[in-house]
Amino acid sequence: DTGVSQNPRHKITKRGQNVTFRCDPISEHNRLYWYRQTLGQGPEFLTYFQNEAQLEKSRLLSDRFSAERPKGSFSTLEIQRTEQGDSAMYLCASSSGDAGHAYEQYFGPGTRLTVT
Amino acid sequence: KNQVEQSPQSLIILEGKNCTLQCNYTVSPFSNLRWYKQDTGRGPVSLTIMTFSENTKSNGRYTATLDADTKQSSLHITASQLSDSASYICVVSRMMDSSYKLIFGSGTRLLVRP
């Protein structure tokens, strides 16, 4: 158990509906990341928070996607007007960002989204 | 273009046998290279992390090697077990990104049969 939790674990929705996922990072970690993973591929970076500040967003994150981390703890990822191409595993990871090499990112179990 | 390529795409071995997975990368400037294990339907779990100055690192039956000159890494699994069946993902971090943005390979799917 890595300590990062995500909810829900699975979500099935109809095209055009909005969905929201939640990520609870390891409590002392100030950095939080969202990734998307499609079948047979490695995860792709979506966005990154340091505390409550969203420092970077990938071009993959269209205007239908929004992520927040209002209090610098948990984060939410919302997808509006879902499309079938949004079907994927959405992974959250957190890291401490301590000085030193190679900040270790700890991944949650992911939320599997299926858009019908 | 910053890329990470893994081979083979999939591999089937018998329980107890050894195997080696390969990773080639073109990421520059290089910061560190990680190997993750991902069970089906789960998030990736880190196995090893290596910086450019490290050329080998072990974690139990897993041994990773890194040749920063040729930009190649390998993951060797010794005495495979059924629980080793998973995807193994090679991930490279770019130095300028301060390790917060990782570049993932597509993974090697390993199936260990009894």
Side-chain angles (χ1 to χ4, degrees):
Chain A
D1 188 342
T2 63
V4 179
S5 61
Q6 292 186 245
N7 288 288
R9 292 294 308 278
H10 304 275
K11 179 71 177 178
I12 300 174
T13 190
K14 292 185 177 179
R15 189 175 52 186
Q17 297 295 306
N18 299 343
V19 294
T20 300
F21 311 140
R22 176 178 171 127
C23 170
D24 287 88
I26 293 172
S27 58
E28 60 268 26
H29 285 182
N30 64 349
R31 298 182 181 210
L32 186 147
Y33 317 80
W34 283 99
Y35 295 88
R36 181 173 71 185
Q37 185 177 27
T38 53
L39 202 61
Q41 299 297 315
E44 296 173 292
F45 171 79
L46 291 179
T47 190
Y48 153 65
F49 290 86
Q50 184 166 321
N51 299 312
E52 64 276 7
Q54 188 174 17
L55 297 187
E56 182 156 346
K57 291 166 55 173
S58 162
R59 287 172 299 187
L60 293 173
L61 216 64
S62 74
D63 55 5
R64 296 184 297 106
F65 288 70
S66 63
E68 294 182 342
R69 195 183 183 198
K71 297 181 181 178
S73 55
F74 73 91
S75 175
T76 58
L77 178 68
E78 180 184 16
I79 308 174
Q80 296 181 325
R81 305 180 303 280
T82 52
E83 302 173 355
Q84 287 186 319
D86 298 331
S87 296
M89 173 79 87
Y90 289 85
L91 292 164
C92 175
S94 70
S95 70
S96 68
D98 287 340
H101 68 89
Y103 310 144
E104 178 67 78
Q105 291 192 21
Y106 295 85
F107 283 83
T111 294
R112 167 75 64 189
L113 172 66
T114 302
V115 182
T116 62
Chain B
K1 186 177 178 182
N2 293 295
Q3 284 187 309
V4 177
E5 296 185 354
Q6 293 187 242
S7 62
Q9 195 171 31
S10 61
L11 182 62
I12 301 174
I13 61 173
L14 292 177
E15 185 180 13
K17 297 297 186 183
N18 304 335
C19 67
T20 300
L21 314 180
Q22 301 291 342
C23 173
N24 296 334
Y25 61 92
T26 57
V27 178
S28 181
F30 173 86
S31 175
N32 58 75
L33 184 145
R34 315 161 189 224
W35 283 94
Y36 282 89
K37 177 186 178 187
Q38 185 174 26
D39 293 312
T40 300
R42 308 282 299 181
V45 175
S46 178
L47 295 175
T48 63
I49 300 178
M50 290 184 290
T51 63
F52 70 91
S53 61
E54 298 172 294
N55 55 25
T56 186
K57 185 166 279 190
S58 292
N59 177 2
R61 295 179 296 102
Y62 301 102
T63 299
T65 65
L66 173 64
D67 186 334
D69 292 331
T70 61
K71 298 186 177 181
Q72 295 179 325
S73 176
S74 66
L75 180 69
H76 186 76
I77 304 175
T78 304
S80 60
Q81 300 176 358
L82 298 179
S83 59
D84 292 332
S85 295
S87 287
Y88 292 84
I89 304 175
C90 176
V91 187
V92 179
S93 175
R94 297 179 65 202
M95 186 181 295
M96 65 174 61
D97 294 335
S98 188
S99 84
Y100 72 83
K101 189 159 63 179
L102 309 179
I103 301 168
F104 291 76
S106 297
T108 291
R109 275 196 242 173
L110 175 65
L111 177 61
V112 180
R113 285 192 169 155

